[in-house]
Amino acid sequence: MSEDLQQPAQARMASVVGLAQELIRRPSRAGIDDYGPVLGVLEDWLTTRSLPHRRLHDGAGALVGLLVEIPGGRPGSWWALDACVDTAPYGDETAWSFPPASGEIVDGWLLGRGSADSKLAATMFCHIAADLAPRAESLCGGLAVLLDVDEHTGDFGGARAYLTDPSTARPAGVMIGYPGMGEVVVGGRGLWRATITVHAPSGHSGSSRTVVGAVTRAAHLVRLLDTAKLPSTAGTLGFPLPPKLSVTAFHGGQGFSVTPDRVDINVDVRTTPGFDAHDAETLVRKAVAELDAELPAPKPTEVAPVAAWPPFRLAEDEQPAAALLRAAAGAGLTVRPKTAGPSNIGNLLAGEGIPATAGFGVPYEGLHGINERAHLAELPAVYAVYQRAVLGLLEG
């Protein structure tokens, strides 16, 4: 690509940051705040610039996102940029050093919930769409910008609505604007999750009759799960991380005088190509069978799977990872491909057969915690990298 995009990117920064400040000042905590105000800011900005956009709704009619579409004038694949504009909750607001909806800039940091994850990326992607719109006729395929407001719930309603919309061109790949400099996330472990219900006879805690209650049985099951041997598959099939099992919730009982007849446990298994969802379920059911054999109860333990996403990993020469890595190198940045331990929206896309990168952005602190903030000095370089990557994909 012959043109130097760093200088135009620098000229865009005041507008990118200004729009991000407006978004941060509209609270959009997942499951808490109304998303209308934060999307309204984006809609006004897009309308002023005559950029085509529309709201996305889920099957129940709930607002789950905003979609911007810039069709090219030549045949080709569509590509998507994705950033969420809903956020994690604030947590203990008294522990913050500044208001969570601040939006102020202090010592080069943009302050407030969503500054890192991912309102700054959302405004950056909207500006890139605006940059490309005047030259759209010369581009192949098209660019979609997905602004999801159902991401931090874990439901990814915006992405689901986008992928199931019959009027939308299915993307050949997606670049997700999670923050973090120095790495392009090209993969992530998958997951298999289940709720396990452990039963036992109830009774009085002071009874002279010995009863193995549900809490005792459930605690034994947790020990079985914690000591279960998972294969060390790190490095196999080109995947650098091993699987992992965690018991993440334990609910049952009330008060002191009754041994409960039921305890519910949540189990989260992070999967890999060498240890998939079927393997995870087999391991958990084996532990459950061992529990029921060692500490029998009138009713067998129940396993109810609730979610399964596949792991994913793109090769460095696979799009859109190749375009993003190449653009970063062209900007003089040393960026390495990374496979993330936590799952992300890239796993959902992988389940749909859509390759995705899931992170390259500005340095940050406090993501999902207190004092969330994003460093702005690197923003022009990040902007130019994404713009180079998009142009590389759309110029054919």
Side-chain angles (χ1 to χ4, degrees), residues 120-167:
L120 187 60
T123 64
M124 180 173 62
F125 291 166
C126 287
H127 280 77
I128 289 174
D131 291 342
L132 297 186
R135 59 192 296 180
E137 283 300 313
S138 67
L139 303 178
C140 302
L143 174 68
V145 176
L146 173 63
L147 305 165
D148 197 335
V149 290
D150 193 31
E151 194 265 10
H152 282 84
T153 62
D155 293 333
F156 300 143
R160 295 181 190 277
Y162 168 47
L163 296 177
T164 57
D165 188 333
S167 65

Side-chain angles (χ1 to χ4, degrees), residues 285-313:
R285 290 190 182 277
K286 180 181 178 182
V288 164
E290 188 174 342
L291 167 72
D292 287 349
E294 292 182 5
L295 298 175
K299 189 173 181 180
T301 303
E302 302 167 72
V303 179
V306 296
W309 293 347
F312 76 101
R313 179 173 171 82

Side-chain angles (χ1 to χ4, degrees), residues 260-351:
D261 59 3
R262 170 176 175 158
V263 170
D264 294 308
I265 300 170
N266 288 352
V267 178
D268 177 282
V269 184
R270 297 301 163 130
T271 61
T272 69
F275 187 82
D276 62 14
H278 176 267
D279 298 321
E281 183 167 359
T282 299
L283 182 145
V284 169
R285 290 190 182 277
K286 180 181 178 182
V288 164
E290 188 174 342
L291 167 72
D292 287 349
E294 292 182 5
L295 298 175
K299 189 173 181 180
T301 303
E302 302 167 72
V303 179
V306 296
W309 293 347
F312 76 101
R313 179 173 171 82
L314 305 186
E316 292 180 37
D317 60 352
E318 194 174 352
Q319 298 293 16
L324 196 53
L325 289 165
R326 189 182 305 118
L333 300 176
T334 302
V335 178
R336 68 179 183 90
K338 176 187 176 181
T339 298
S343 303
N344 54 62
I345 198 169
N347 297 89
L348 170 69
L349 294 166

Side-chain angles (χ1 to χ4, degrees), residues 212-286:
V212 180
V215 169
T216 299
R217 296 188 77 241
H220 185 66
L221 178 58
V222 171
R223 286 192 292 273
L224 291 173
L225 292 170
D226 281 345
T227 58
K229 292 190 179 300
L230 278 71
S232 178
T233 58
T236 63
L237 302 175
F239 201 86
L241 298 175
K244 181 182 180 182
L245 184 151
S246 302
V247 176
T248 58
F250 190 108
H251 302 288
Q254 185 175 9
F256 295 92
S257 63
V258 176
T259 56
D261 59 3
R262 170 176 175 158
V263 170
D264 294 308
I265 300 170
N266 288 352
V267 178
D268 177 282
V269 184
R270 297 301 163 130
T271 61
T272 69
F275 187 82
D276 62 14
H278 176 267
D279 298 321
E281 183 167 359
T282 299
L283 182 145
V284 169
R285 290 190 182 277
K286 180 181 178 182

